[in-house]
Amino acid sequence: MAAAFGASCGSLAAASRSPASSLRQRESSAAPLRAKSAAVVASRTRSARGGASCAIIDSAPPSAAEQQQQQQGPAVSLPNVLSSAARTVREVKPEDMKLGEGELGAVKRGVMRAEDAERLNWYLRAILTANVYDVAVESSLDFAPRLSDRIDAQIYLKREDLQPVFSFKLRGAYNRMASLSSTALAAGVITSSAGNHAQGVALAAKKLQCSAVIAMPVTTPAIKVNAVRRLGATVVLEGENFDATQAYAKRRAVEEGRTFIPPFDDPLVVAGQGTVGMEILRQLPGVEAIFVPVGGGGLIAGIAAYVKSIRPDIKVIGVEPEGANAMVQSLYHGELCRLTKVDGFADGVAVRQPGAVCFDLCQQLVDGVMTVKTDQICAAIKDVFEENRSILEPAGAVAVAGAKAYCEANGFKGKVVAIASGANMNFDRLRVVSQLADGGLKQEATLVSVIPEENGSFKRFVELVGADVSFTEFKYRKNSSTNAVVLYSVAVTAGVNSQQMIKDCVTKLRAGGIGTDNLTEDETTQIHLRYMVGGATGIPNERLYGVEIPERAGALDTFLNFISPKYTITMTHYRSDGGRVGQVLFGIQVPPAQLEAFEACLESTGYTYKDETRNTAFNALYGTGRGESSVGSGQQQTKQPRPNIFSLFGKK
């Protein structure tokens, strides 16, 4: 049935590539037409590969009047879709759902209704007639030979990073704005964004010769603010987070009569993004799986709407950062979920809540959504750089990381497309990406060992590690303890099972009486502790907290006003990575009786924080347990309020 429907839309597909497709559909040009539904047949089956399949047939050919409307863009009235505000939204935390390597989250699907079929019919027509190529280009689909050889699959990169604003976002923004009436364009547009959508709206406004106001959080890096201003838009810095910025933009839209352009939760925005899927099927008809980065869900909703209508056998898989898994949890629960906090490393997809329009399509169509870790994203950035010397932003590499993880974990060897969705990278962030990439590629491991503070112990330690192991980093400083803690990194030999190699190394060291632990996947170690050496140990009542502080003048002072001078700060570590928030590590003396009051202070700051007091590396380097247990004893100590690090290292 899908093939028959695809054939019936051949004239529309041709129209989408003709000059007529660039005509703007004006909201006042025609009354909405209702889709002919008498002969609409919808089937929903499970495909051979396990995904949801949808096929739609309209047996009645469109009239001449309808064909004219279709050339200008679909004018079919959409079925009513509840907005996010009208729905019950479940509050969740990112850690509420942890998926395995390459695992797809479950999708709780509803029953396919007639209006769902009609809606999908509308989206297919909307994508085929979308107004995007006045500003966007048909991006290339590049085979990645090095990555393909390593993963043992055929990996292709859809190069949306090569668009005029280095992101796919201009497709949806322009398609939405090109549908506005001349009156609406004259009144101007407004949106809220801290990145790629802002540039897409600014470029679309320049092309359509209308005024645009872009509201951006005050924490937005200067490089992104300046990029929007260069395109001619007016930038207003308002609010410390996206919610506050969006509230301002919507309020100003009402006050000034401007049209608010949503970044993802809008049918015409979704249709514009869906042209990416249309291009993929034309460029690689034999594609078997498409991996799509997921933030609000506009890109994957559009791609799935097109691909599943034409080729329901193709897998459409979403990829989210592990700390920004709103869509994974929404699909699992079968309702919109809102994250209480979100990891902002991949800021282009760091969204607390998916769009309602996007969620409905994803629940109906996608095969599943998976998550990837920060170091996997960094490794994917390095992979793409080694393929073509292009540097993706973290959000732009999320789908590449997902494709790698899925193919490796599931033995998938077919033709795979990963959307390289953006390249608006802050230069300062490259330092962090470089530091984390080798861990994500399993080319380097970070370990911590405890050796006796005596002559000859260091030489014996190196001998136990082995002459065939290359050290890439080493940190040690003598103190008064009877034991020395060494934090170091080793290179993993190419072609060797990295996990087994490190496991064997740790086992050998422990068997030799040297307590050792693998900290490669510990984010606090990778971002902070590996860059700190020396200082006092065993400070009474010392606790460790990671705090996300907005990257703006005065933000640190605001935080300290809540904490100091009541509590003593014992250590700090911070280095700008070019993001909207800074990851700051604080050591603070807090007596047990005051812990509840102290964490109430932290809550009152409004900043996201995490208690890291029981972190393994922190306790090894600075904890009260140093020197109070024999190395590798394997005996659990209970007299200290935090775990004794030596007994942790000695555990089997």
Side-chain angles (χ1 to χ4, degrees), residues 20 29 49 53 70 84 102 126 131 136 232 239 262 313 337 351 358 421 437 474 480 491 522 538 550 563 594 629:
S29 62
R49 293 188 180 88
S53 302
Q70 289 163 354
S84 301
N131 292 304
D313 59 302
C337 292
V351 175
C358 310
S421 60
F474 205 95
S480 58
D522 181 58
I563 306 303
Q594 298 180 24
S629 174

Side-chain angles (χ1 to χ4, degrees), residues 217-277:
V218 296
T219 56
T220 305
I223 186 174
K224 294 188 176 183
V225 174
N226 294 335
V228 174
R229 284 177 174 155
R230 280 195 298 271
L231 291 169
T234 300
V235 176
V236 178
L237 300 178
E238 183 72 29
E240 284 196 0
N241 55 57
F242 180 76
D243 290 343
T245 305
Q246 181 169 266
Y248 165 82
K250 289 184 174 181
R251 184 172 64 252
R252 182 165 172 177
V254 173
E255 293 171 352
E256 299 182 4
R258 293 178 178 270
T259 301
F260 180 80
I261 308 298
F264 46 80
D265 201 23
D266 179 273
L268 287 173
V269 172
V270 169
Q273 321 299 28
T275 56
V276 175

Side-chain angles (χ1 to χ4, degrees), residues 189-467:
V189 299
I190 188 170
T191 194
S192 54
S193 170
N196 297 335
H197 178 65
Q199 295 183 57
V201 171
L203 180 61
K206 184 177 182 179
K207 179 70 175 180
L208 296 170
Q209 298 182 340
C210 72
S211 70
V213 174
I214 313 295
M216 308 181 85
V218 296
T219 56
T220 305
I223 186 174
K224 294 188 176 183
V225 174
N226 294 335
V228 174
R229 284 177 174 155
R230 280 195 298 271
L231 291 169
T234 300
V235 176
V236 178
L237 300 178
E238 183 72 29
E240 284 196 0
N241 55 57
F242 180 76
D243 290 343
T245 305
Q246 181 169 266
Y248 165 82
K250 289 184 174 181
R251 184 172 64 252
R252 182 165 172 177
V254 173
E255 293 171 352
E256 299 182 4
R258 293 178 178 270
T259 301
F260 180 80
I261 308 298
F264 46 80
D265 201 23
D266 179 273
L268 287 173
V269 172
V270 169
Q273 321 299 28
T275 56
V276 175
M278 180 177 68
E279 293 173 9
I280 290 173
L281 292 196
R282 187 162 58 234
Q283 294 167 323
L284 188 67
V287 61
E288 297 173 63
I290 302 173
F291 289 82
V292 188
V294 178
L299 180 60
I300 190 172
I303 289 176
Y306 184 85
V307 171
K308 289 295 186 179
S309 295
I310 304 299
R311 288 281 307 280
D313 59 302
I314 296 173
K315 287 182 177 290
V316 178
I317 297 173
V319 189
E320 290 183 305
E322 194 173 64
N325 57 358
M327 185 65 84
V328 167
Q329 301 209 45
S330 295
L331 293 176
Y332 175 80
H333 291 292
E335 62 181 340
L336 285 173
C337 292
R338 179 176 175 80
L339 298 174
T340 57
K341 60 182 178 179
V342 63
D343 181 357
F345 180 78
D347 53 354
V349 290
V351 175
R352 289 182 182 268
Q353 179 180 319
V357 169
C358 310
F359 169 72
D360 284 344
L361 285 170
C362 289
Q363 186 182 33
Q364 178 184 342
L365 300 172
V366 304
D367 293 87
V369 179
M370 59 183 292
T371 60
V372 290
K373 296 180 174 65
T374 297
D375 63 351
Q376 291 175 303
I377 297 172
C378 294
I381 294 173
K382 184 175 181 179
D383 286 327
V384 174
F385 176 77
E386 291 180 345
E387 288 286 350
N388 51 39
R389 296 303 183 264
S390 296
I391 300 176
L392 300 180
E393 62 182 286
V398 163
V400 181
K404 288 172 53 185
Y406 182 86
C407 291
E408 288 183 313
N410 297 282
F412 193 86
K413 301 180 184 298
K415 293 182 178 179
V416 171
V417 172
I419 313 295
S421 60
N424 285 299
M425 167 71 86
N426 291 333
F427 189 80
D428 290 343
R429 180 155 286 194
L430 290 175
R431 176 177 57 250
V432 175
V433 169
S434 176
Q435 291 164 355
L436 297 178
D438 286 341
L441 289 167
K442 305 297 187 288
Q443 295 176 348
E444 184 183 64
T446 302
L447 306 176
V448 61
S449 293
V450 181
I451 63 176
E453 191 71 87
E454 61 187 27
N455 291 345
S457 62
F458 182 66
K459 181 176 183 298
R460 179 170 172 271
F461 160 72
V462 173
E463 290 172 347
L464 277 173
V465 171

Side-chain angles (χ1 to χ4, degrees), residues 497-556:
N497 184 318
S498 60
Q499 296 297 318
Q500 189 60 48
M501 175 184 172
I502 298 306
K503 184 178 179 180
D504 292 345
C505 181
V506 171
T507 300
K508 183 167 57 175
L509 286 166
R510 287 179 176 177
I514 295 179
T516 302
D517 205 3
N518 183 2
L519 302 177
T520 305
E521 296 188 5
D522 181 58
E523 189 169 325
T524 300
T525 298
Q526 298 300 329
I527 295 177
H528 299 290
L529 295 175
R530 68 186 295 184
Y531 306 109
M532 301 170 64
V533 178
T537 62
I539 297 175
N541 299 320
E542 185 179 32
R543 301 189 66 84
L544 189 70
Y545 290 88
V547 184
E548 294 182 1
I549 297 182
E551 289 281 11
R552 62 167 178 80
L556 178 59

Side-chain angles (χ1 to χ4, degrees), residues 2-62:
F5 183 55
S8 73
C9 291
S11 61
L12 291 179
S16 72
R17 296 190 292 272
S18 70
S21 67
S22 65
L23 295 174
R24 298 197 300 273
Q25 176 200 7
R26 302 298 188 181
E27 291 180 337
S28 61
S29 62
L33 302 175
R34 192 69 179 170
K36 293 184 177 180
S37 58
V40 173
V41 179
S43 72
R44 186 162 189 261
T45 61
R46 181 68 59 178
S47 74
R49 293 188 180 88
S53 302
C54 295
I56 301 170
I57 297 177
D58 187 343
S59 60

Side-chain angles (χ1 to χ4, degrees), residues 114-149:
E115 53 264 39
D116 294 325
E118 182 178 330
R119 176 180 57 185
L120 194 55
N121 190 10
W122 183 94
Y123 274 107
L124 183 58
R125 294 175 61 196
I127 292 166
L128 286 169
T129 58
N131 292 304
V132 301
Y133 297 109
D134 288 349
V135 292
V137 299
E138 180 172 317
S139 59
S140 61
L141 187 66
D142 297 345
F143 180 62
R146 295 177 182 83
L147 185 57
S148 297
D149 288 344

